[in-house]
Amino acid sequence: MTTVEPHRTGRVALPATGRLIDLSMPIEPSPFDPAVMRRRLWRHEHGGRRIGRKAVFNRRLPLRLRLARAARYVAGGRRIGPGCFPDGLFLGNEVFTLSVHAGSHVDAPFHYGPRTGDRPALRVDEIPLDRCVGPGVLLRLTHKLTDHGPAQSITAADIRQALARIEHTLSPGEVVLIHTGADRLWPGPRYFTAHPGMTVEATEYLLEQGVTVIGVDTAGFDLPAPVMIERYYRSGDAAHLWPCHLLGRRRAFLQIERLGGLDRLPRPTGFTVMFLPIHVRGAGAAWTRPVAIVPEEGT
């Protein structure tokens, strides 16, 4: 049990105590994921020698000073090495070159286009943090994920039926989480090619109820990219290409993509969702560690 300090945002009061449920997917290399391109590891046993060389051959230093230090280094002076650290181990470090759409992340309106209606679209560092906390509503649509066959679309009728099953009426400010079970396909290729996708009508239905944050446990909000592209090739209709994302040019909303562990939520409502995006200045998206705060029973 994790204790959460009481706090009030502009939208929701967080419970004083509760259980935190991690709703994130990892940022890790996958051979099928173009969002994670490269990683470089600085292991503890290599760090001592590397930091020693960096201290001597620092390119920010004047050339004359670098040459003088290099000469002393070659002669055996001014050296930092593994022997300077306990057990010969320095600090570890990992360098990832990746997209802001890797792992669990928040798409801001600027991702959809430069403007939302007649206003400049918000970038991820401009999103008010009180929009990143709200009462959660879990809609279970696991039947839309099929083991075989084409990727399925999530319609407005699917959303209404899921709400009817839990006997819930949506309210403005709620964070709707769409549970398809697609996270269990990670990190295989079907995670990127077989997941269900939201439709414009389903997205607009949620927006009309005052919902402006929608989270999905799929690789993307729309249908898989190969499916959309193939439909465009066959029909010549560009409306097949990322329609829900492009809806964001007319109506402002946030997407949380690549959620995980939604099956661990004990109930469809009565919990709080928090998904604070990393402060990446000027970007259209940012990584997040989304959590559900589930109150203790009886509170």
Side-chain angles (χ1 to χ4, degrees):
M1 188 271 290
T2 302
T3 299
V4 181
E5 292 297 325
H7 178 64
R8 179 173 293 277
T9 70
R11 287 179 175 267
V12 62
L14 301 184
T17 61
R19 180 161 56 100
L20 294 184
I21 298 179
D22 188 355
L23 303 180
S24 69
M25 288 289 284
I27 294 177
E28 60 181 353
S30 165
F32 310 103
D33 188 0
V36 179
M37 303 178 192
R38 182 171 59 90
R39 69 173 178 174
R40 181 163 52 88
L41 306 182
W42 176 331
R43 300 189 182 279
H44 297 88
E45 57 268 27
H46 302 152
R49 187 168 287 105
R50 287 191 177 186
I51 194 63
R53 291 173 180 170
K54 284 182 174 291
V56 172
F57 302 104
N58 188 341
R59 294 184 179 181
R60 297 178 183 176
L61 298 175
L63 178 59
R64 192 156 93 181
L65 182 56
R66 274 189 284 154
L67 291 174
R69 287 189 173 185
R72 293 180 64 183
Y73 180 84
V74 171
R78 291 191 64 88
R79 289 206 176 193
I80 298 175
C84 298
F85 304 101
D87 301 318
L89 303 176
F90 185 51
L91 309 178
N93 189 23
E94 300 78 37
V95 178
F96 282 72
T97 302
L98 71 160
S99 165
V100 290
H101 298 274
S104 300
H105 62 275
V106 181
D107 283 351
F110 186 76
H111 175 52
Y112 318 138
R115 302 187 70 81
T116 305
D118 59 354
R119 296 185 178 184
L122 287 180
R123 300 170 191 258
V124 74
D125 56 310
E126 298 170 329
I127 297 172
L129 290 183
D130 62 7
R131 288 192 62 189
C132 302
V133 184
V137 178
L138 179 68
L139 301 183
R140 297 196 186 275
L141 295 167
T142 53
H143 63 285
K144 304 299 290 190
L145 179 68
T146 58
D147 291 332
H148 305 285
Q152 300 293 307
S153 296
I154 297 172
T155 66
D158 292 324
I159 298 295
R160 287 193 291 267
Q161 289 168 10
L163 286 167
R165 284 194 294 270
I166 62 174
E167 300 180 342
H168 182 76
T169 300
L170 292 172
S171 299
E174 290 182 318
V175 178
V176 171
L177 307 178
I178 307 295
H179 177 212
T180 70
D183 56 316
R184 65 179 173 81
L185 301 176
W186 174 265
R190 284 179 54 78
Y191 180 75
F192 303 98
T193 62
H195 65 77
M198 291 287 286
T199 58
V200 169
E201 60 162 351
T203 306
E204 288 192 312
Y205 175 79
L206 292 173
L207 298 180
E208 287 163 5
Q209 314 310 309
V211 172
T212 59
V213 180
I214 308 168
V216 294
D217 61 0
T218 51
F221 198 79
D222 289 280
L223 286 167
V227 174
M228 292 187 290
I229 292 170
E230 183 60 29
R231 288 184 179 183
Y232 165 67
Y233 286 157
R234 289 181 178 180
S235 67
D237 186 356
H240 288 298
L241 299 175
W242 285 271
C244 291
H245 278 73
L246 296 179
L247 171 63
R249 296 185 181 182
R250 294 190 286 111
R251 306 187 68 169
F253 66 100
L254 304 179
Q255 301 172 12
I256 317 171
E257 294 181 350
R258 301 197 185 188
L259 293 170
L262 295 181
D263 58 316
R264 292 186 289 144
L265 288 170
R267 50 183 179 263
T269 59
F271 61 92
T272 300
V273 178
M274 179 181 291
F275 58 98
L276 304 180
I278 299 298
H279 197 148
V280 184
R281 189 174 299 278
W287 314 285
T288 183
R289 186 72 177 268
V291 297
I293 307 172
V294 181
E296 294 288 324
E297 292 296 333
T299 61

